[in-house]
Amino acid sequence: MSHDIYKINPEFREIMPKEIIELEENATWAKNMDKPRGIKELPDTKELLEEHSLCAGCPEAAALRYVLSALPKPEDTIIVNSTGCTSLMFPHIALHTVHSLFGNQNAVASGIKRVLDWRFPDTQKDVVVLAGDGATVDIGLDYTLQSFFRQEKITTICFDNEVYANTGGQESGMTAKGQVFKMAPTGKKFDKVPMWELAKTSGCHYSVNMTASAPKAVAKAVREAILVAREIGPTYINLYTPCILEIGLSANEGLGEMKDQDKDRFASYKHVSPEAEEYLKKCKAEGLL
Amino acid sequence: MSKITDMTATHNWSGQKLVSTDYMLFEAPRTKHFMTGSEVVKEAVKRATVDASVSYPITPQSEAAHLIGELWAEGYVGVYFRGENEFGVMSEVAGCSMAGARTITTTSGPGTLRAMENFAQWSGTRAPMQLILMARGINSPLTIQPDNLEVQYLLETGCMIWYAENVQELFDMSLAAFTVAEKPDVHVPIITAVDGFFVSHTREAVMLPEDDIALQPYNPYAAPLPPIDSEMPPGRFLRDPFVMKSNYISYATHASWQWEIRSAVERSKPYARHYLNGLVHVTGTEDAEIAFVTCGTASNQAKEAERELNKLGVKSKVIKLRTIRPFPEDELLEALEGVKHVFVPEFNVVGWLSNEVKAKLYGKSDANIVGAPRVAGGMSMPAEAIIKEVMENINPGKGA
Ligand SMILES: Cc1ncc(C[n+]2csc(CCOP(=O)(O)OP(=O)(O)O)c2C)c(N)n1
Ligand code: SF4
């Protein structure tokens, strides 16, 4: 999509919703040098996420804003989602997005990415998967890992809230051992799945585990992961975005919870393969990072 | 490897001359070959300018899937790989199709059921891909035998379903299928079904056009929804939060979308009538009082029974349904004019076709509808079994 695509037909301008006009006038695209893209521009540029129906204060909503602000080339980015709380935000994103089924996001993304590479051999089209931990690590684990094995050039971002939030609080593979949730009435029986490590051993060239407490750090990881996926191979970001509702926090307590976990269970983990490292250096030199 | 950028206005990326579907199906000179169903799938795909295919093995469709892979290696298909399982494959081909590719895959029996959630999702996104279904029994106990019970599960997915009787029909239908599924006013996925083994593994004489011609490429920009390729603004369908909220507008949106998919399937009728030479094929005596309503290879058995019955002085006809979704109700009613007994022989235990026929004819036909004979688990259905069923019904107590 060229950023000119958001040029509104003058005849329709009068009846266009305000958010579309703002998108044309004030959104940031990769080619837009007046308003460069990045987390710093968030306060005074048009965001690609208009509104959403997540719980007030849900860290997933903030994390999605950071992710969208960090896309290196949104006009050529497709985001694939899965059923869950995140799917409530998807219809509001001003990009091509797909919500297909619960768990098949990496398979759908594989099809899309391969066809886009076939149809547009001269354009870089980025495909980013964004789904909950239930979708990524439970019902969809097969598809997630197989896309890594097959070296699909996509970035997978897991919004790890350690619970099935959208269905009312059941334990997931990512829930910590011992935690009592619905369907784990006597506490979860096995450890949190170390998905970031599985990602590494399954062929990801870049894998991080972090919380969404620091916008800049999230944006940096997203940008690096997408650039590596473009050239080298699959990348993975595990992002702790606690479900404040299910763990009983109020709207303003999500950030504190993430900060606490920064020093604890989510002390950062980062794997970058030698090829990816080399490539990121090059990107830095070219001003892409 | 050929590239999509090698395509010209007159030739596709593998150098085949682009022709219309009418030319391909009705005008191009044909020569005789001796081939199996699996092999003609390859021949059809070779002439269809296919962008993408993903596959997973299951008997009896594996060979067709292998052969599509060979075509990819030869440069006729753009994208090809083996997925992780059928749920993965049906999701991968969904992605391929949404991204603007002419897409095909194949499966059978248990694979169909494993992937089930995807079929409704395909139609819900109006992605016009083609599934070649080589129907086979469903476990347990483990079976690989011919049986078409799985079609029962597909009936209400919102996909079109066509049924081919033999190798020749499979070839012609699978080319017509892309064309009809991709019409902008139709634009829904299509399932081209055949009975596994009976068609997939049977070698028959088949007339094929030369392989230096191929169908015009798919144009994703004529689709009713924007392809997911970031080349145009995202469509309202993908942007509106309607169906995610619980309110009257979201209910109405979802309901009307469901009806729209079903209407799109209905809108395929005139195109299918043209490319398939009619939605039903009738053989036998025109003024018969006995009719067989069939699809797939059961038609073949019924035709044999019809010939034998004729020798016994009993006049009958075979009404072969070539499309199941859309259901050719008007054509069936017309063909049943004057018919007193309808028999529905089928290769599955539940009798989904006779249920369909009964539901569609209810209140519209006085004929006595017999949902038999019915076989399952790979059992054969000899003409004698069909004749016996007829004699016992029209001549009670006296038998054949
Ligand atoms: C096949 C299937 N099984 C179950 C569900 C029900 N379901 C919807 S969302 C969900 C949980 C989502 O959890 P997660 O992926 O962690 O996302 P979150 O809602 O926590 O953001 C489940 C089980 C479904 N939609 N489809
Ligand atoms: S239920 Fe939990 S994860 Fe879902 S929107 Fe609310 S706070 Fe966020």
Side-chain angles (χ1 to χ4, degrees):
Chain A
M1 198 193 301
S2 112
H3 65 269
D4 283 346
I5 210 87
Y6 272 105
K7 286 264 175 289
I8 297 163
N9 181 330
E11 310 223 338
F12 292 142
R13 209 176 171 87
E14 229 171 87
I15 55 162
M16 272 293 150
K18 191 165 153 269
E19 78 260 25
I20 303 283
I21 295 177
E22 285 175 357
L23 206 57
E24 184 201 55
E25 289 173 349
N26 207 22
T28 62
W29 308 106
K31 293 176 201 148
N32 194 342
M33 283 304 138
D34 314 334
K35 280 178 239 125
R37 285 194 61 69
I39 201 92
K40 282 206 296 271
E41 280 67 44
L42 261 187
D44 48 36
T45 51
K46 170 71 181 172
E47 289 190 45
L48 301 175
L49 177 69
E50 182 58 29
E51 52 179 37
H52 63 78
S53 41
L54 300 192
C55 300
C58 175
E60 281 194 3
L64 184 63
R65 294 176 62 199
Y66 309 155
V67 169
L68 292 174
S69 78
L71 298 176
K73 209 179 159 199
E75 56 269 45
D76 278 314
T77 303
I78 279 124
I79 310 188
V80 185
N81 171 236
S82 190
T83 316
C85 281
T86 50
S87 51
L88 299 178
M89 303 186 276
F90 264 65
H92 304 273
I93 299 175
L95 301 178
H96 279 246
T97 64
V98 176
H99 164 255
S100 47
L101 299 172
F102 184 40
N104 73 347
Q105 58 280 351
N106 282 59
V108 172
S110 303
I112 291 177
K113 177 63 178 163
R114 289 196 186 213
V115 163
L116 295 182
D117 285 352
W118 159 248
R119 289 188 57 216
F120 304 98
D122 306 324
T123 314
Q124 265 303 343
K125 302 259 181 190
D126 297 325
V127 176
V128 178
V129 170
L130 207 157
D133 47 299
T136 309
V137 184
D138 289 336
I139 195 169
L141 182 63
D142 190 0
Y143 314 101
T144 308
L145 292 184
Q146 294 271 352
S147 74
F148 299 162
F149 300 154
R150 288 194 308 261
Q151 293 289 296
E152 304 291 353
K153 290 186 162 175
I154 57 183
T155 296
T156 303
I157 302 175
C158 173
F159 275 4
D160 177 11
N161 58 12
E162 303 198 298
V163 67
Y164 292 6
N166 200 236
T167 37
Q170 298 82 17
E171 108 288 6
S172 88
M174 298 298 261
T175 302
K177 187 174 178 177
Q179 172 82 37
V180 173
F181 270 143
K182 289 156 207 155
M183 295 190 186
T186 59
K188 188 187 173 223
K189 299 294 177 208
F190 60 97
D191 282 325
K192 181 178 175 81
V193 176
M195 189 58 206
W196 46 94
E197 285 170 18
L198 290 182
K200 177 187 170 197
T201 49
S202 306
C204 279
H205 294 268
Y206 184 98
S207 172
V208 298
N209 183 30
M210 64 197 302
T211 79
S213 69
K216 266 199 205 153
V218 174
K220 181 166 181 278
V222 168
R223 199 172 268 255
E224 288 182 345
I226 293 175
L227 290 173
V228 170
R230 256 188 208 175
E231 281 303 317
I232 315 283
T235 56
Y236 179 74
I237 298 176
N238 198 78
L239 210 53
Y240 179 54
T241 51
C243 172
I244 49 177
L245 189 85
E246 290 301 334
I247 58 174
L249 298 180
S250 56
N252 59 358
E253 288 171 332
L255 183 59
E257 161 65 15
M258 290 191 286
K259 283 196 161 147
D260 288 347
Q261 298 294 345
D262 279 337
K263 294 162 226 131
D264 191 21
R265 295 185 307 123
F266 286 87
S268 75
Y269 166 99
K270 186 166 179 178
H271 154 74
V272 186
S273 74
E275 307 100 283
E277 186 107 52
E278 204 50 42
Y279 178 66
L280 287 175
K281 266 190 218 143
K282 206 174 118 213
C283 290
K284 208 162 200 166
E286 285 169 12
L288 280 166
L289 273 171
Chain B
M1 193 73 186
S2 314
K3 291 194 215 70
I4 200 167
T5 41
D6 295 338
M7 186 129 78
T8 67
T10 55
H11 289 77
N12 69 11
W13 55 81
S14 46
Q16 293 163 299
K17 184 171 185 290
L18 297 171
V19 299
S20 70
T21 308
D22 275 283
Y23 181 81
M24 175 72 80
L25 291 179
F26 305 130
E27 293 158 36
R30 293 193 176 208
T31 52
K32 197 173 190 170
H33 300 259
F34 195 50
M35 283 185 177
T36 64
S38 306
E39 286 164 356
V40 295
V41 169
K42 175 178 183 180
E43 296 304 322
V45 173
K46 190 174 191 178
R47 292 161 178 79
T49 313
V50 167
D51 296 288
S53 184
V54 189
S55 51
Y56 194 81
I58 185 169
T59 306
Q61 64 79 46
S62 304
E63 193 187 355
H66 304 161
L67 294 172
I68 297 174
E70 282 182 16
L71 283 179
W72 168 73
E74 291 162 19
Y76 288 93
V77 172
V79 169
Y80 175 87
F81 61 102
R82 178 188 60 75
E84 51 276 68
N85 58 43
E86 290 83 355
F87 182 84
V89 166
M90 301 312 155
S91 305
E92 277 135 14
V93 293
C96 292
S97 184
M98 287 176 199
R102 177 174 289 156
T103 306
I104 191 166
T105 188
T106 52
T107 196
S108 296
T112 319
L113 267 67
R114 177 153 295 217
M116 205 62 196
E117 193 185 357
N118 285 276
F119 302 121
Q121 191 260 333
W122 288 3
S123 62
T125 40
R126 304 280 300 266
M129 68 210 110
Q130 178 168 193
L131 165 68
I132 304 274
L133 178 72
M134 294 179 157
R136 102 166 212 204
I138 306 289
N139 307 327
S140 268
L142 178 63
T143 178
I144 57 162
Q145 301 305 329
D147 191 321
N148 61 26
L149 176 61
E150 69 205 276
V151 177
Q152 154 105 31
Y153 297 83
L154 294 169
L155 289 174
E156 308 312 331
T157 54
C159 299
M160 291 194 284
I161 303 174
W162 291 359
Y163 221 114
E165 178 187 353
N166 51 39
V167 173
Q168 182 73 58
E169 280 195 355
L170 177 58
F171 174 82
D172 292 330
M173 259 192 188
S174 44
L175 285 164
F178 282 124
T179 307
V180 175
E182 290 165 8
K183 293 281 176 194
D185 53 341
V186 179
H187 223 271
V188 284
I190 184 155
I191 297 167
T192 308
V194 290
D195 294 313
F197 290 111
F198 295 148
V199 178
S200 57
H201 287 58
T202 300
R203 201 169 284 280
E204 290 175 2
V206 50
M207 300 296 289
L208 301 179
E210 289 309 305
D211 63 8
D212 56 355
I213 54 170
L215 298 186
Q216 293 285 344
Y218 172 51
N219 173 14
Y221 301 119
L225 288 173
I228 304 294
D229 63 5
S230 288
E231 291 294 312
M232 55 210 281
R236 300 301 295 179
F237 171 74
L238 293 161
R239 287 210 55 215
D240 280 0
F242 282 148
V243 291
M244 284 302 187
K245 288 187 176 163
S246 292
N247 59 30
Y248 179 75
I249 296 174
S250 73
Y251 305 147
T253 304
H254 191 79
S256 57
W257 189 255
Q258 294 291 328
W259 282 112
E260 164 55 11
I261 291 164
R262 279 148 185 81
S263 305
V265 170
E266 282 298 307
R267 290 197 294 268
S268 72
K269 275 183 176 169
Y271 302 117
R273 216 171 270 135
H274 171 69
Y275 291 113
L276 301 180
N277 282 321
L279 307 185
V280 305
H281 284 181
V282 185
T283 42
T285 318
E286 211 171 288
D287 59 351
E289 291 189 353
I290 293 167
F292 300 105
V293 180
T294 60
C295 67
T297 50
S299 320
N300 202 282
Q301 303 306 101
K303 284 181 208 165
E304 200 183 327
E306 183 273 321
R307 288 190 293 269
E308 292 303 315
L309 283 167
N310 203 17
K311 288 184 203 156
L312 299 172
V314 182
K315 286 180 180 161
S316 62
K317 63 168 138 179
V318 179
I319 305 164
K320 175 171 78 173
L321 311 184
R322 310 193 69 219
T323 64
I324 309 295
R325 289 285 181 273
F327 194 85
E329 199 176 320
D330 295 342
E331 285 84 346
L332 178 60
L333 267 169
E334 195 189 319
L336 286 178
E337 196 84 27
V339 167
K340 297 217 166 69
H341 301 277
V342 174
F343 294 85
V344 188
E346 49 189 317
F347 278 103
N348 71 83
V349 73
V350 295
W352 56 262
L353 185 58
S354 67
N355 291 342
E356 283 289 305
V357 170
K358 283 178 188 160
K360 294 292 178 342
L361 296 185
Y362 183 77
K364 293 183 184 148
S365 163
D366 298 328
N368 166 41
I369 304 166
V370 182
R374 214 176 265 179
V375 298
M379 295 290 289
S380 62
M381 184 161 46
E384 292 76 21
I386 302 177
I387 295 166
K388 187 160 169 259
E389 196 68 47
V390 172
M391 288 311 197
E392 278 171 5
N393 270 275
I394 62 168
N395 219 358
K398 301 210 176 120

